[in-house]
Amino acid sequence: ARARTVGELLAPTSPFDKKCGRENWTVAFAPDGSYLAWSQGHRIVKLVPWAQCLHNFLLHGTKNGTNAVGARLPRQSSDSGQKNKPCEHVIDCGDIVWSLAFGSSVPEKQSRCVNIEWHRFKFGQDQLLLATGLNNGRIKIWDVYTGKLLLNLMDHTEVVRDLTFAPDGSLILVSASRDKTLRVWDLKDDGNMMKVLRGHPNWVYGCAFSPDSSILCSVGASKAVFLWDMDKYSMLRKLEGHHNDVVACEFSPDGALLATASYDTRVYVWDPHTGVILREFGHLFPPPTPIFAGGANDRWVRSVSFSHDGLHVASLADDKMVRFWRIDEEYPVQVAPLNNGLCCTFSTDGSVLAAGQDGSVYFWATPRQVSSLQHLCRMAIRRVMPTSQLRNLPIPCKVLEFLCYQM
């Protein structure tokens, strides 16, 4: 089946625009669903209220130029006093933008820093931050409501390829870079760098926190998929199975599954607690043998995202297709065409998939399918306990099998 198109935001272009540098490497939704941000290329990040975008799609059809959208959005006034009212912003980051991440604060969450006597910034509950990873190795932190630059983090020596905030509201930020390292930053400590995670033999392409913020997955060149304990900042395990560079990863909403995308034309769904591959989603049939796994570069998988329902995974590949998969089925349930797609992510509520291409963003509705009782039970029990504790419950083996992901 073909996925239903919701809308598109087209980047303004002129005849003299260079195509090189206009790539949309990243698109992100705010944790509360209030904002959408994406890199338009040529150093520019666009921030727009997501609810207003959906409203415009319904009113004016699917096609919207970003200039037209901007004309109908309220602009921020310095003395309006409406700090939390969603307003559109265009941010010039000063260099090519490779990664974006939203972060919001929970005031009661203590900083991990030793010196808590004085800080330049006091982040409150109404704060929403945007982190941008740049080509020159810098990370810039912006206030979403005002569009102002707050912090400039400068320890990486190469491209900052990915960024992720801890979901627990602690404002712990992890950055993945081509300098082969991951760096852990504490924004409640004015952006102090807490730790450098080393172990990748080559470029680090992506990183993602588990929903409880206890585990970090990082992926990179040389088939690398690493899991890190974020309490001890130590490596938990390596997951082995891919045959080429691994470029994207994301945990399921209940933390029981991990999806990884690779240039070997495959998406794997893992049980991260055991290291077992539960499902393989292939983008080339028959699949390439390991010795040729890097040769099918018209099928390289660029991005992967887990839906809010935990039932669907979206993937984007170089064969000009976006695919929606069910975790319990072998073949895609819906597909959509997209040329030169580079990134995709589900909206906060999981109802829409956004994908980036050449400075523009395209949107499709997520497949609506009823979850099985088994899937609902699996997700429900993990709201109160992690998978590792689930396996030790004193319950009958059949019930335990019912609650475990075994595909």
Tab-separated table of all heavy atoms in Angstrom, residues 89-116:
chain	number	residue	atom	x	y	z
A	89	HIS	N	11.234	30.720	13.873
A	89	HIS	CA	12.575	31.311	13.884
A	89	HIS	C	13.399	30.721	12.747
A	89	HIS	O	13.273	29.536	12.410
A	89	HIS	CB	13.306	31.028	15.205
A	89	HIS	CG	12.646	31.641	16.394
A	89	HIS	ND1	12.630	32.993	16.645
A	89	HIS	CD2	11.960	31.073	17.415
A	89	HIS	CE1	11.975	33.238	17.757
A	89	HIS	NE2	11.551	32.089	18.245
A	90	VAL	N	14.245	31.548	12.169
A	90	VAL	CA	15.255	31.099	11.221
A	90	VAL	C	16.608	31.355	11.866
A	90	VAL	O	16.915	32.486	12.243
A	90	VAL	CB	15.149	31.852	9.879
A	90	VAL	CG1	16.274	31.428	8.934
A	90	VAL	CG2	13.794	31.591	9.231
A	91	ILE	N	17.406	30.296	12.037
A	91	ILE	CA	18.675	30.396	12.752
A	91	ILE	C	19.829	30.161	11.788
A	91	ILE	O	19.854	29.150	11.076
A	91	ILE	CB	18.737	29.362	13.903
A	91	ILE	CG1	17.626	29.636	14.924
A	91	ILE	CG2	20.095	29.376	14.579
A	91	ILE	CD1	17.527	28.579	16.009
A	92	ASP	N	20.762	31.091	11.764
A	92	ASP	CA	21.999	30.925	10.999
A	92	ASP	C	23.067	30.405	11.950
A	92	ASP	O	23.515	31.114	12.852
A	92	ASP	CB	22.435	32.256	10.385
A	92	ASP	CG	23.620	32.104	9.436
A	92	ASP	OD1	24.312	31.066	9.512
A	92	ASP	OD2	23.862	33.023	8.629
A	93	CYS	N	23.469	29.140	11.751
A	93	CYS	CA	24.392	28.489	12.675
A	93	CYS	C	25.861	28.756	12.344
A	93	CYS	O	26.751	28.343	13.092
A	93	CYS	CB	24.141	26.982	12.695
A	93	CYS	SG	22.512	26.557	13.351
A	94	GLY	N	26.142	29.390	11.226
A	94	GLY	CA	27.514	29.746	10.893
A	94	GLY	C	28.296	28.672	10.174
A	94	GLY	O	29.416	28.922	9.718
A	95	ASP	N	27.760	27.465	10.069
A	95	ASP	CA	28.423	26.372	9.349
A	95	ASP	C	27.369	25.336	8.984
A	95	ASP	O	26.232	25.395	9.462
A	95	ASP	CB	29.529	25.750	10.198
A	95	ASP	CG	30.624	25.095	9.357
A	95	ASP	OD1	30.384	24.860	8.148
A	95	ASP	OD2	31.716	24.820	9.887
A	96	ILE	N	27.749	24.375	8.143
A	96	ILE	CA	26.818	23.323	7.721
A	96	ILE	C	26.314	22.565	8.941
A	96	ILE	O	27.101	22.171	9.818
A	96	ILE	CB	27.499	22.353	6.739
A	96	ILE	CG1	27.866	23.089	5.447
A	96	ILE	CG2	26.590	21.167	6.424
A	96	ILE	CD1	28.710	22.273	4.502
A	97	VAL	N	25.003	22.357	9.026
A	97	VAL	CA	24.377	21.700	10.172
A	97	VAL	C	24.159	20.217	9.850
A	97	VAL	O	23.487	19.873	8.882
A	97	VAL	CB	23.019	22.363	10.509
A	97	VAL	CG1	22.379	21.685	11.715
A	97	VAL	CG2	23.216	23.852	10.767
A	98	TRP	N	24.742	19.361	10.682
A	98	TRP	CA	24.638	17.918	10.479
A	98	TRP	C	23.646	17.257	11.428
A	98	TRP	O	23.146	16.166	11.159
A	98	TRP	CB	26.002	17.254	10.657
A	98	TRP	CG	26.939	17.470	9.518
A	98	TRP	CD1	27.744	18.562	9.309
A	98	TRP	CD2	27.188	16.586	8.423
A	98	TRP	NE1	28.468	18.405	8.156
A	98	TRP	CE2	28.152	17.195	7.590
A	98	TRP	CE3	26.693	15.332	8.063
A	98	TRP	CZ2	28.629	16.606	6.430
A	98	TRP	CZ3	27.166	14.738	6.909
A	98	TRP	CH2	28.124	15.367	6.098
A	99	SER	N	23.377	17.875	12.563
A	99	SER	CA	22.551	17.202	13.569
A	99	SER	C	21.779	18.215	14.402
A	99	SER	O	22.223	19.351	14.602
A	99	SER	CB	23.420	16.328	14.480
A	99	SER	OG	24.535	17.060	14.978
A	100	LEU	N	20.605	17.777	14.874
A	100	LEU	CA	19.727	18.597	15.706
A	100	LEU	C	19.183	17.736	16.836
A	100	LEU	O	18.958	16.535	16.661
A	100	LEU	CB	18.529	19.118	14.909
A	100	LEU	CG	18.731	20.121	13.782
A	100	LEU	CD1	17.407	20.308	13.044
A	100	LEU	CD2	19.215	21.441	14.333
A	101	ALA	N	18.927	18.363	17.990
A	101	ALA	CA	18.246	17.665	19.079
A	101	ALA	C	17.574	18.692	19.979
A	101	ALA	O	18.163	19.731	20.296
A	101	ALA	CB	19.219	16.814	19.890
A	102	PHE	N	16.334	18.400	20.369
A	102	PHE	CA	15.619	19.233	21.334
A	102	PHE	C	15.852	18.693	22.734
A	102	PHE	O	15.907	17.472	22.952
A	102	PHE	CB	14.115	19.198	21.047
A	102	PHE	CG	13.679	20.082	19.916
A	102	PHE	CD1	13.493	19.559	18.641
A	102	PHE	CD2	13.426	21.433	20.127
A	102	PHE	CE1	13.061	20.361	17.596
A	102	PHE	CE2	13.004	22.245	19.084
A	102	PHE	CZ	12.826	21.720	17.818
A	103	GLY	N	15.932	19.605	23.702
A	103	GLY	CA	16.049	19.209	25.094
A	103	GLY	C	15.181	20.077	25.973
A	103	GLY	O	15.117	21.293	25.780
A	104	SER	N	14.480	19.468	26.920
A	104	SER	CA	13.681	20.223	27.887
A	104	SER	C	14.071	19.791	29.288
A	104	SER	O	14.492	18.653	29.516
A	104	SER	CB	12.185	20.011	27.652
A	104	SER	OG	11.868	18.635	27.685
A	105	SER	N	13.911	20.711	30.230
A	105	SER	CA	14.449	20.511	31.571
A	105	SER	C	13.373	20.104	32.566
A	105	SER	O	12.221	20.518	32.459
A	105	SER	CB	15.119	21.812	32.049
A	105	SER	OG	15.499	21.718	33.386
A	106	VAL	N	13.769	19.291	33.534
A	106	VAL	CA	12.958	19.022	34.717
A	106	VAL	C	13.698	19.665	35.893
A	106	VAL	O	14.809	19.237	36.232
A	106	VAL	CB	12.778	17.500	34.956
A	106	VAL	CG1	12.032	17.255	36.256
A	106	VAL	CG2	12.045	16.862	33.795
A	107	PRO	N	13.139	20.710	36.512
A	107	PRO	CA	13.890	21.455	37.526
A	107	PRO	C	14.391	20.608	38.685
A	107	PRO	O	15.472	20.848	39.219
A	107	PRO	CB	12.857	22.491	38.013
A	107	PRO	CG	11.885	22.632	36.907
A	107	PRO	CD	11.816	21.282	36.249
A	108	GLU	N	13.601	19.591	39.081
A	108	GLU	CA	14.006	18.791	40.244
A	108	GLU	C	15.190	17.871	39.933
A	108	GLU	O	15.825	17.333	40.834
A	108	GLU	CB	12.848	17.924	40.742
A	108	GLU	CG	11.536	18.659	40.970
A	108	GLU	CD	10.734	18.842	39.701
A	108	GLU	OE1	10.412	17.854	39.034
A	108	GLU	OE2	10.459	20.011	39.363
A	109	LYS	N	15.458	17.642	38.638
A	109	LYS	CA	16.534	16.728	38.258
A	109	LYS	C	17.876	17.385	38.537
A	109	LYS	O	18.237	18.398	37.947
A	109	LYS	CB	16.422	16.381	36.766
A	109	LYS	CG	17.265	15.200	36.333
A	109	LYS	CD	16.664	13.899	36.773
A	109	LYS	CE	17.524	12.727	36.295
A	109	LYS	NZ	16.985	11.448	36.735
A	110	GLN	N	18.627	16.810	39.452
A	110	GLN	CA	19.894	17.401	39.850
A	110	GLN	C	20.966	17.232	38.779
A	110	GLN	O	21.015	16.230	38.079
A	110	GLN	CB	20.394	16.772	41.161
A	110	GLN	CG	19.595	17.187	42.376
A	110	GLN	CD	19.723	18.667	42.679
A	110	GLN	OE1	20.790	19.258	42.546
A	110	GLN	NE2	18.620	19.284	43.060
A	111	SER	N	21.823	18.223	38.691
A	111	SER	CA	22.985	18.126	37.810
A	111	SER	C	23.981	17.150	38.410
A	111	SER	O	24.054	16.973	39.628
A	111	SER	CB	23.629	19.506	37.649
A	111	SER	OG	24.883	19.398	37.039
A	112	ARG	N	24.753	16.512	37.528
A	112	ARG	CA	25.775	15.586	38.015
A	112	ARG	C	27.081	16.295	38.366
A	112	ARG	O	28.043	15.660	38.782
A	112	ARG	CB	26.066	14.522	36.948
A	112	ARG	CG	24.902	13.592	36.680
A	112	ARG	CD	25.365	12.391	35.868
A	112	ARG	NE	24.260	11.522	35.533
A	112	ARG	CZ	24.409	10.320	34.978
A	112	ARG	NH1	25.617	9.874	34.681
A	112	ARG	NH2	23.365	9.576	34.695
A	113	CYS	N	27.131	17.606	38.174
A	113	CYS	CA	28.386	18.319	38.394
A	113	CYS	C	28.695	18.435	39.886
A	113	CYS	O	27.805	18.347	40.740
A	113	CYS	CB	28.326	19.705	37.754
A	113	CYS	SG	27.093	20.773	38.502
A	114	VAL	N	29.961	18.624	40.211
A	114	VAL	CA	30.405	18.725	41.597
A	114	VAL	C	30.113	20.119	42.155
A	114	VAL	O	29.580	20.275	43.248
A	114	VAL	CB	31.923	18.421	41.702
A	114	VAL	CG1	32.388	18.598	43.137
A	114	VAL	CG2	32.215	17.014	41.199
A	115	ASN	N	30.467	21.154	41.394
A	115	ASN	CA	30.290	22.527	41.851
A	115	ASN	C	28.922	23.038	41.425
A	115	ASN	O	28.687	23.329	40.268
A	115	ASN	CB	31.398	23.412	41.265
A	115	ASN	CG	31.227	24.862	41.665
A	115	ASN	OD1	30.547	25.154	42.648
A	115	ASN	ND2	31.834	25.755	40.911
A	116	ILE	N	28.002	23.143	42.368
A	116	ILE	CA	26.655	23.615	42.048
A	116	ILE	C	26.376	24.955	42.724
A	116	ILE	O	25.233	25.352	42.892
A	116	ILE	CB	25.584	22.574	42.452
A	116	ILE	CG1	25.685	22.245	43.947
A	116	ILE	CG2	25.691	21.324	41.612
A	116	ILE	CD1	24.556	21.361	44.454
